[in-house]
Amino acid sequence: MDPEQVDEFVMGYLKKKGFNSAAKHLQESLHNNNGSTFSSIDYHNDPELNKLIRSFSQSENDPSRYREGYSKLRSWGYNSLDLYKHELVRVMYPVFIHCYMDLVGKGHTQEARSFFNSFRKDHEMVHLRDLQKLGGVLAPSHLQEMEFARSLRQSKINIKICQYSYDLLLQYLHRTESTLMLGIINEHINFQVYSGQPNSASDDIEAVTIVGSFHETADHVNQKEIHWGLLEDSLEDRLEKTGGLLSDSEKGQGESKAGDMDDSKKRSAEIGKQGSSIKKLKKDKAGTATTKVARQETSTVLSSMPRVKPELAMPVMSTDVEESILEDLRNRVQLSSVAMPSVSFYTFVNTHNGLNSSSISHDGSLVAGGFSDSSIKVWDMAKIGQAGSCGLQDENNQTVGLNGRRNYTLLVGHSGPVYSATFSPPGDYVLSSSADTTIRLWSTKLNANLVCYKGHNHTVWDAQFSPFGHYFASCSHDRTARIWSMDRMQPLRMMAGHLSDVDCVQWHPNCNYIATGSSDKTVRLWDVQTGECVRIFIGHRSMVLSLAMSPDGRYMASGDEDGTIMMWDLSTARCITPLMGHNSCVWTLSYSGEGSLLASGSADCTVKLWDVSSSTKLTKAEEKNGNSNRLRSLRTFPTKSTPVHALRFSRRNLLFAAGAISKPSS
Amino acid sequence: ELWKGEEKMSIVPKETIEVIAQSIGITNLSPEAALMLAPDVEYRVREIMQEAIKCMRHSKRTTLTASDVDGALNLRNLEPIYGFGSGGPIRFRKAIGHRDLFYTDDREVDFKDVIEAPLPKAPLDTEIVCHWLAIEGVQPAIPENAPLEVIRAPAENQIYQQKDGPLIDIRLPVKHVLSKELQLYFQKIAELTMSKSNPSLFKEALVSLASDSGLHPLVPYFTNFIADEVSRGLNDFLLLFNLMHVVRSLLQNPHIHIEPYLHQLMPSVVTCLVSRKLGNRFADNHWDLRDFTANLVALICKRFGNTYVTLQSRLTKTLVNALLDPKKALTQHYGAIQGLAALGHNVVRLLVLSNLEPYLSLLEPELDAEKQKNQMKSYEAWRVYGALLRAAGLCIHDRLKIFPNLPSPSPSLLNKGKGKVINTEPNKRKLSVDSSENRSPRKRLIATDGSDGGPSPMQVDRPTGDANPPQNSVHPSSSEQASGGNAPESRNAKENQGSKGRTITRKAILDQIWKDDLDSGRLLVKLHQLYGDRILPFIPSTEMSLFL
């Protein structure tokens, strides 16, 4: 290093550190002493000083410091005491991503990449998806542009660490004088030091998602009060009130059974199997046997739940609709871990890869499909059953339908792929959402489009009617969820807060809340009246695809891209337990009528039934023990290579499932 | 070197950027610009892919298609890439000479070919088909459902667990859920078995039991049912018979894994074989039941003897105990003998024949019509005697049959003769009838074998002369002599025949079985002492000619 360079460097250093007067002084003295070999401090000829300066200048610019520092810290962390290792290793990930982003930010793209590639394996297991995103960050401008990176840069990550681990870490950093690592840790990590023994490695899922100062907000948000009780004067309540009448009118039940059997005949006819009608009859018989006892149980359970007032003006239900619902509730088959439901499966054939979504009406008689060619098709299964019984002879010619016409209703109006098509609770309307940013309301009676709701700025991924109809919620790529009523063209509420696409939406049974699942790997609960976020559920490791609320309003299940299902307690925002079993996207979830079973449908071509009643009971008992409980997978029903797109428990607890058969590609 | 290093900055190489620039008409792109662009291109591509994956998820798919990429471009307000709208997966081809280079096969198509080609078929319209995925939690075995995995017997699972898992085996109580259909089926079968009124329907039920798949969940119930009914219905002959038929059908069913339940089933079956009283002693033909059950036992041993090593030994132990206990009733002895006989000739030779002499001496007084006044008892004794005779006879027949060099009469003929003997035997009561009946098939055998030459006249003569000594109970010493004399005789005969030029190799075999032969000879003589003429029908004629 020649003297000129040294001078330059010292100047730069002084300026950078803000020692302006010193810099000025140096410059002056340099200027004055130009040509002379003497200065106030002869740092050119002092070998010690020269060395120091050299090392300084190197360290300022040398990107390999990051690699060195990090790999030292890493090997120290992995060789630390077993008891504290998992806490120390947890520190590695933020250090790693910030080292990488520092390198990128300073323009050392090549080093950044090689650094990233050499250590990414360590974190792939837990943070794969984040790493995939960050892997694309290659220029300083990307850091600014990419929201994920920006939020990481701007906020601190909270890490809970026990006192001893913390001391260990500090000791190490000071002893090795790894100022760079210390700097990064100081800058980006917020340690929450607690006394006592370290937590076990498994029980904090929170370590998984780190999106900025999320946890603080989440903790703050989750303090808010929510009322998860059912609505006053709900149909269940009414059923209970009329319960006295019911128990002596068992004949009425018998009659209703007859109706049910007619229904079953239709269905069995379309299946075209002789045995099935007998099966169904038997099933019904078995159903009646258990219903009576069971209903008393459920009613007592439900009546013990708190009641809340509706915050929205509820639509008035017509008496005959109410009657039919009450009738269904009376005839509900009680399900439990020993009394399994029957599953009726609707398989879409010849979809040519075009079926984006499907849904089943509450009574299972209507099936809607949203297609990528912008069309919606609605099948009336009851009609198909009838037609099938009189025209079995031309079953070879399935495509032409039985009267030479297609046997579905085609609804055309959207101008982009339809991503959802769902039924109103009585089945008289279909709500569809599309990539053309609109939501459309269709009448199944008139087979016509009634309203086109415009408001979202991007593709609308999902739209769902409230449990009582009239209101509906939608969610979109524009990161908002919106509440609408059928009679207004504009949304009533807008819920903003998710950090990425809002992928699915679901109403709380009391209509006062909606839950949204997002690509930011969180689920949020929003108050419909105020539009505020009242809960943030953190724990998923990938995009949330499906949501379901338990009928008692206390629990929520969410399914993600990896096949994990999480059961949440709404009041505490804690995950009761993850349900592991699926190995691919969980497209759909559905609670049985009384909330004892959860059905999940997945891209791995199975329908799984989970016993969630035991957990509910267990949690109450275990609140004292603090144990994490186990939810059981009860059954797995594999389909013949048909991913399960939609599930619906009818009010009578018959499970309907739908999916498009996929031929394994050759 | 610097350039080379920085090329790795992005997975998009500088050259690609340059090629693309040229393709859209920018010829003067500086290398620096290309280098700057490369990382950005990679970032944009990643961004598009991220959005495309979202579109794929919302289309409920797990494979990315070109339409998803179009959707992603649409989300970013970009023009989609046209020309990939077919919906199907794009076929990539490997570029020859490059490891990681692929291209889409985009061939030039002649308009003429397209126009002249016949119109393609209209694509099939979307339909919905409906089926039951599960009925009350059980998947019906219909073609719409995925083929069920082979139902594993729980016992196998446990063994498996014990092998692999930890040493502590926690067995949770398993609730067995039975579908309504199976419950009904079981009820119907149980009713039919109990009612005995509709034999033709019962027969069909048995066929169904023996052939239907999917009955496996019922096996424990059937096992229970059989065990219960057998213990309860020992007086009900028809019921027992029906139950044993059910057992046989279950055994025959290829879809049922009955092994785990055998230990529960065996006591019932053995009961039907060696119980003192099965149905009415006088009115019912419980002998038939015992015969049937004996065959059943043999069937079980044959099928599961390999997997259950102790099965046969335990069974034979039970049976021998029953046989050798003089306090047990004659009916029980009969069952034990039949059971042992059905298990094969080796069992008979080892277990029955070794005990034959003392047993017969016990039986002797019962047989004598004068000593045993009770007619029923004497009938039973004769049944036992017949069974013993048959067992011993079949055993010796089998032994003798293995001599290869002796031309035996054609099997069908032999069987016919044998069958007749077996059929007639149990019915005879008196010695005289017995011997006369015995003689007739033998004579037929001899007649057909007459072409063999020399010995046949001797045969005709000898039996009459020989018929007496056994009845007078020959002294042991003379039997020794007889056997001693017998063996060389047969040996000579064989050697003669061998030298007659049959085959020389057989000689070797002959030498090997020499000892067996000798034993058999002794056995034969012994049997002859004990049974007299009655053993003769079981002996192949040629062999008998030598013996006699």
Side-chain angles (χ1 to χ4, degrees):
Chain A
M1 195 184 276
D2 57 35
E4 309 280 296
Q5 267 180 321
V6 174
D7 289 340
E8 223 167 83
F9 172 73
V10 173
M11 275 303 290
Y13 181 82
L14 289 175
K15 271 182 187 165
K16 194 179 169 192
K17 293 284 171 184
F19 302 127
N20 285 330
S21 58
K24 209 173 168 188
H25 189 73
L26 178 68
Q27 198 167 20
E28 273 169 17
S29 69
L30 277 176
H31 204 70
N32 294 341
N33 295 343
N34 208 6
S36 84
T37 51
F38 294 100
S39 64
S40 49
I41 310 161
D42 188 8
Y43 51 73
H44 295 302
N45 297 327
D46 186 339
E48 280 300 308
L49 208 55
N50 211 336
K51 205 173 143 195
L52 190 69
I53 289 169
R54 194 171 295 173
S55 77
F56 254 116
S57 72
Q58 264 177 6
S59 65
E60 274 299 294
N61 291 322
D62 190 4
S64 66
R65 288 187 310 142
Y66 283 95
R67 174 184 282 271
E68 228 169 76
Y70 179 75
S71 61
K72 270 187 199 159
L73 178 68
R74 178 173 167 272
S75 64
W76 172 77
Y78 281 106
N79 291 323
S80 57
L81 295 171
D82 277 346
L83 190 58
Y84 306 98
K85 195 191 272 179
H86 70 271
E87 288 197 330
L88 294 170
V89 166
R90 211 181 297 149
V91 178
M92 301 300 151
Y93 177 64
V95 174
F96 168 72
I97 53 174
H98 283 290
C99 282
Y100 172 67
M101 285 190 286
D102 279 357
L103 284 168
V104 171
K106 287 182 178 168
H108 302 296
T109 317
Q110 187 200 339
E111 284 82 5
R113 182 154 284 241
S114 79
F115 173 79
F116 189 72
N117 288 335
S118 33
F119 298 112
R120 69 172 285 170
K121 278 261 176 326
D122 297 347
H123 311 289
E124 259 176 357
M125 208 179 78
V126 187
H127 303 282
L128 180 66
R129 277 160 223 277
D130 288 350
L131 292 175
Q132 280 171 348
K133 274 188 205 163
L134 282 175
V137 177
L138 292 167
S141 62
H142 295 158
L143 286 178
Q144 287 308 308
E145 200 172 327
M146 188 185 197
E147 195 170 353
F148 177 64
R150 209 165 61 217
S151 74
L152 283 176
R153 292 303 265 180
Q154 281 166 359
S155 54
K156 282 194 169 189
I157 292 157
N158 285 327
I159 290 184
K160 277 188 187 169
I161 193 165
C162 80
Q163 185 65 50
Y164 187 70
S165 305
Y166 184 66
D167 293 345
L168 278 179
L169 183 67
L170 282 189
Q171 270 172 26
Y172 165 78
L173 292 171
H174 284 297
R175 197 179 62 237
T176 55
E177 288 171 349
S178 34
T179 44
L180 185 69
M181 293 299 121
L182 185 64
I184 288 173
I185 288 170
N186 275 337
E187 200 177 342
H188 297 291
I189 300 178
N190 188 16
F191 284 108
Q192 293 171 333
V193 183
Y194 62 89
S195 53
Q197 287 298 299
N199 287 332
S200 70
S202 56
D203 64 12
D204 60 346
I205 343 155
E206 290 165 23
V208 171
T209 17
I210 43 158
V211 187
S213 54
F214 219 59
H215 284 280
E216 265 171 48
T217 357
D219 284 345
H220 182 68
V221 164
N222 292 344
Q223 300 299 316
K224 289 178 188 168
E225 195 185 358
I226 61 161
H227 305 280
W228 48 264
L230 294 182
L231 283 187
E232 289 177 344
D233 197 32
S234 66
L235 282 167
E236 275 83 3
D237 284 352
R238 276 183 238 177
L239 180 70
E240 218 175 297
K241 278 173 205 158
T242 54
L245 278 170
L246 253 175
S247 47
D248 29 23
S249 68
E250 279 181 22
K251 291 167 213 155
Q253 267 188 35
E255 282 161 25
S256 74
K257 280 298 110 175
D260 208 353
M261 279 186 253
D262 282 352
D263 219 55
S264 74
K265 271 176 201 156
K266 285 174 209 162
R267 253 178 246 118
S268 54
E270 68 195 276
I271 297 169
K273 293 271 173 288
Q274 292 163 332
S276 51
S277 69
I278 309 163
K279 284 173 197 165
K280 184 69 199 299
L281 293 183
K282 270 181 274 161
K283 188 185 70 64
D284 280 338
K285 267 187 237 158
T288 16
T290 47
T291 328
K292 269 183 285 163
V293 197
R295 195 180 311 116
Q296 278 151 11
E297 284 170 20
T298 32
S299 59
T300 50
V301 170
L302 286 175
S303 61
S304 66
M305 297 291 176
R307 289 286 179 266
V308 295
K309 284 198 164 60
E311 288 174 9
L312 299 172
M314 281 296 143
V316 182
M317 200 180 282
S318 69
T319 43
D320 46 332
V321 170
E322 194 184 313
E323 272 308 305
S324 79
I325 294 176
L326 280 173
E327 189 60 44
D328 282 344
L329 291 179
R330 265 177 228 138
N331 292 305
R332 186 152 77 194
V333 179
Q334 176 71 8
L335 296 178
S336 68
S337 52
V338 286
M340 297 285 178
S342 297
V343 189
S344 178
F345 202 99
Y346 297 133
T347 312
F348 288 83
V349 293
N350 306 326
T351 56
H352 311 291
N353 255 340
L355 184 73
N356 284 350
S357 73
S358 54
S359 72
I360 303 156
S361 68
H362 287 248
D363 60 354
S365 64
L366 296 174
V367 181
F371 288 80
S372 58
D373 63 358
S374 314
S375 67
I376 299 155
K377 292 168 187 171
V378 180
W379 282 263
D380 188 335
M381 297 314 287
K383 270 187 200 158
I384 293 175
Q386 280 167 347
S389 58
C390 59
L392 276 173
Q393 63 271 21
D394 51 4
E395 59 186 342
N396 304 338
N397 203 358
Q398 277 183 343
T399 48
V400 191
L402 298 156
N403 316 330
R405 290 206 327 254
R406 53 175 176 243
N407 42 26
Y408 55 79
T409 320
L410 186 67
L411 304 175
V412 184
H414 279 297
S415 59
V418 179
Y419 286 112
S420 81
T422 53
F423 290 96
S424 65
D428 46 358
Y429 297 111
V430 171
L431 199 62
S432 63
S433 69
S434 158
D436 64 6
T437 74
T438 64
I439 303 157
R440 278 173 192 264
L441 183 73
W442 313 78
S443 163
T444 52
K445 302 248 160 59
L446 306 168
N447 295 332
N449 189 199
L450 303 177
V451 197
C452 175
Y453 301 97
K454 292 174 184 169
H456 278 293
N457 303 324
H458 270 295
T459 305
V460 188
W461 293 129
D462 195 7
Q464 293 284 343
F465 267 109
S466 85
F468 297 93
H470 190 66
Y471 298 100
F472 61 90
S474 64
C475 62
S476 161
H477 177 68
D478 65 13
R479 303 183 183 186
T480 64
R482 300 179 192 212
I483 306 282
W484 311 67
S485 75
M486 271 163 57
D487 54 354
R488 302 278 174 92
M489 290 299 292
Q490 268 75 40
L492 305 175
R493 293 286 181 279
M494 235 169 96
M495 279 80 170
H498 274 297
L499 302 174
S500 186
D501 299 39
V502 187
D503 295 297
C504 52
V505 66
Q506 199 58 252
W507 286 80
H508 191 271
N510 69 15
C511 283
N512 292 336
Y513 302 96
I514 61 161
T516 54
S518 163
S519 293
D520 68 10
K521 301 174 219 169
T522 64
V523 179
R524 287 175 188 237
L525 193 73
W526 309 82
D527 188 312
V528 168
Q529 188 59 41
T530 62
E532 268 183 359
C533 177
V534 289
R535 286 288 178 277
I536 302 178
F537 304 90
I538 301 167
H540 278 292
R541 295 186 183 188
S542 54
M543 174 179 178
V544 181
L545 293 168
S546 52
L547 288 169
M549 293 276 189
S550 74
D552 60 7
R554 202 181 154 184
Y555 301 102
M556 178 174 67
S558 58
D560 71 15
E561 214 179 339
D562 295 338
T564 311
I565 301 164
M566 296 231 176
M567 271 279 285
W568 306 95
D569 188 331
L570 289 188
S571 46
T572 61
R574 298 243 163 236
C575 175
I576 294 169
T577 182
L579 305 173
M580 315 294 267
H582 286 297
N583 48 35
S584 189
C585 309
V586 180
W587 297 132
T588 174
L589 292 165
S590 179
Y591 272 98
S592 68
E594 72 297 306
S596 57
L597 295 183
L598 176 72
S600 61
S602 159
D604 63 11
C605 300
T606 58
V607 174
K608 276 181 193 286
L609 290 176
W610 308 85
D611 182 6
V612 287
S613 61
S614 60
S615 78
T616 330
K617 278 166 199 156
L618 274 172
T619 32
K620 279 176 195 160
E622 277 178 328
E623 268 163 2
K624 302 161 210 158
N625 308 342
N627 277 339
S628 65
N629 45 28
R630 288 159 280 136
L631 297 186
R632 289 190 298 140
S633 167
L634 288 174
R635 284 293 153 81
T636 303
F637 302 122
T639 65
K640 238 182 184 176
S641 72
T642 307
V644 185
H645 290 181
L647 286 171
R648 161 87 70 193
F649 270 103
S650 74
R651 290 196 191 90
R652 299 188 180 196
N653 266 349
L654 183 62
L655 181 59
F656 292 96
I661 193 155
S662 65
K663 300 258 159 51
S665 54
S666 50
Chain B
E1 214 182 284
L2 184 82
W3 289 124
K4 219 176 173 183
E6 290 203 18
E7 266 173 39
K8 285 181 200 160
M9 241 164 65
S10 161
I11 48 170
V12 182
K14 183 176 63 119
E15 286 77 9
T16 309
I17 305 292
E18 283 165 353
V19 167
I20 293 168
Q22 277 172 18
S23 73
I24 56 171
I26 303 167
T27 46
N28 57 346
L29 188 80
S30 70
E32 287 83 6
L35 265 180
M36 294 292 284
L37 274 171
D40 199 55
V41 166
E42 189 191 337
Y43 179 78
R44 301 296 155 198
V45 168
R46 281 171 183 272
E47 198 181 0
I48 294 296
M49 288 331 281
Q50 178 190 308
E51 299 304 310
I53 287 167
K54 278 181 197 164
C55 287
M56 171 183 82
R57 293 296 182 221
H58 283 284
S59 302
K60 306 270 193 293
R61 271 185 280 109
T62 45
T63 32
L64 199 72
T65 64
S67 62
D68 294 325
V69 179
D70 282 350
L73 291 167
N74 189 36
L75 283 177
R76 285 273 173 273
N77 284 325
L78 296 166
E79 189 100 344
I81 303 167
Y82 298 105
F84 299 97
S86 66
I90 303 167
R91 285 179 190 280
F92 286 96
R93 290 177 164 241
K94 208 168 188 176
I96 299 158
H98 298 271
R99 211 153 44 86
D100 301 324
L101 188 59
F102 294 87
Y103 67 99
T104 49
D105 195 15
D106 197 9
R107 257 179 270 165
E108 280 181 24
V109 184
D110 198 342
F111 258 126
K112 207 179 140 204
D113 293 347
V114 177
I115 292 163
E116 283 175 0
L119 285 174
K121 274 185 188 172
L124 298 173
D125 203 356
T126 310
E127 278 295 316
I128 290 185
V129 286
C130 178
H131 73 273
W132 288 112
L133 183 65
I135 292 166
E136 300 201 331
V138 179
Q139 273 196 296
I142 50 174
E144 287 90 343
N145 280 335
L148 294 168
E149 286 168 48
V150 179
I151 304 162
R152 249 197 216 159
E156 283 175 39
N157 278 342
Q158 275 159 22
I159 292 163
Y160 195 69
Q161 274 175 3
Q162 277 165 359
K163 272 179 190 164
D164 285 5
L167 285 171
I168 306 154
D169 181 16
I170 302 158
R171 287 165 68 184
L172 297 165
V174 179
K175 200 96 185 181
H176 206 258
V177 183
L178 211 55
S179 75
K180 205 74 195 169
E181 292 75 41
L182 284 177
Q183 286 179 33
L184 218 81
Y185 182 88
F186 175 74
Q187 267 171 24
K188 200 78 199 165
I189 296 281
E191 271 168 31
L192 275 174
T193 315
M194 306 281 284
S195 73
K196 302 150 253 178
S197 58
N198 197 342
S200 65
L201 199 61
F202 181 67
K203 253 182 205 159
E204 277 177 34
L206 288 179
V207 171
S208 150
L209 271 177
S211 55
D212 277 359
S213 57
L215 293 182
H216 190 260
L218 283 178
V219 173
Y221 296 88
F222 275 123
T223 322
N224 249 339
F225 170 69
I226 289 161
D228 283 358
E229 291 305 321
V230 165
S231 60
R232 205 182 304 157
L234 277 178
N235 292 324
D236 193 342
F237 168 74
L238 258 177
L239 172 67
L240 292 176
F241 219 129
N242 282 351
L243 287 169
M244 288 304 109
H245 274 291
V246 170
V247 173
R248 194 177 66 167
S249 293
L250 288 176
L251 282 169
Q252 281 169 345
N253 193 324
H255 308 284
I256 287 180
H257 304 269
I258 208 166
E259 293 98 311
Y261 305 98
L262 267 186
H263 66 280
Q264 273 178 299
L265 214 51
M266 279 314 278
S268 318
V269 175
V270 175
T271 305
C272 285
L273 184 60
V274 293
S275 176
R276 179 182 290 265
K277 196 164 164 244
L278 294 168
N280 191 313
R281 193 176 170 191
F282 301 99
D284 293 322
N285 191 0
H286 62 91
W287 311 105
D288 274 358
L289 175 59
R290 289 178 203 273
D291 291 350
F292 181 83
T293 318
N295 284 329
L296 203 58
V297 166
L299 182 72
I300 292 171
C301 282
K302 209 170 150 194
R303 252 184 74 184
F304 304 109
N306 291 332
T307 40
Y308 267 121
V309 189
T310 54
L311 180 70
Q312 182 156 345
S313 60
R314 273 159 66 186
L315 184 71
T316 47
K317 212 170 156 189
T318 318
L319 293 180
V320 167
N321 282 344
L323 176 63
L324 296 184
D325 189 348
K327 283 178 203 128
K328 292 252 164 75
L330 283 169
T331 48
Q332 284 171 288
H333 290 170
Y334 176 84
I337 293 164
Q338 288 294 60
L340 289 168
L343 287 176
H345 308 298
N346 279 333
V347 177
V348 174
R349 190 165 57 89
L350 290 171
L351 297 171
V352 181
L353 295 191
S354 55
N355 299 311
L356 194 58
E357 218 172 326
Y359 185 80
L360 276 181
S361 61
L362 276 173
L363 195 63
E364 197 79 27
E366 305 283 336
L367 290 169
D368 201 331
E370 281 142 36
K371 281 178 192 166
Q372 180 55 265
K373 295 294 179 216
N374 186 338
Q375 213 177 9
M376 195 64 211
K377 275 241 170 113
S378 110
Y379 171 65
E380 281 174 3
W382 274 112
R383 285 301 291 236
V384 174
Y385 183 78
L388 263 178
L389 176 62
R390 180 172 160 271
L394 285 178
C395 172
I396 195 72
H397 173 256
D398 197 57
R399 296 283 302 170
L400 296 176
K401 211 169 59 180
I402 60 171
F403 300 144
N405 59 336
L406 292 173
S408 54
S410 71
S412 63
L413 202 71
L414 187 72
N415 284 341
K416 208 167 142 196
K418 209 169 72 185
K420 199 169 175 188
V421 175
I422 293 159
N423 287 340
T424 52
E425 216 172 20
N427 295 329
K428 62 205 161 178
R429 293 202 183 171
K430 292 198 173 146
L431 213 61
S432 58
V433 181
D434 173 39
S435 54
S436 73
E437 279 210 357
N438 268 350
R439 222 161 265 164
S440 58
R442 177 166 51 86
K443 272 177 183 165
R444 259 207 349 246
L445 290 182
I446 293 157
T448 52
D449 218 49
S451 58
D452 224 35
S456 54
M458 250 166 69
Q459 269 180 346
V460 185
D461 293 339
R462 275 282 184 87
T464 43
D466 255 26
N468 296 328
Q471 275 177 338
N472 306 337
S473 74
V474 181
H475 301 291
S477 59
S478 74
S479 89
E480 283 290 308
Q481 281 175 353
S483 69
N486 194 25
E489 195 186 343
S490 66
R491 188 196 305 155
N492 286 337
K494 275 170 210 150
E495 273 178 346
N496 288 341
Q497 288 210 335
S499 64
K500 268 176 195 169
R502 286 254 161 183
T503 42
I504 299 161
T505 45
R506 279 195 181 160
K507 250 186 175 174
I509 306 164
L510 275 179
D511 289 335
Q512 278 186 354
I513 58 164
W514 210 237
K515 200 173 167 297
D516 272 357
D517 187 16
L518 218 82
D519 287 348
S520 305
R522 284 198 189 114
L523 190 64
L524 185 57
V525 170
K526 198 171 153 196
L527 283 176
H528 194 252
Q529 284 164 19
L530 294 171
Y531 281 115
D533 264 0
R534 290 180 214 114
I535 200 72
L536 294 180
F538 294 99
I539 299 160
S541 53
T542 43
E543 191 59 34
M544 188 153 70
S545 69
L546 296 170
F547 162 61
L548 294 171

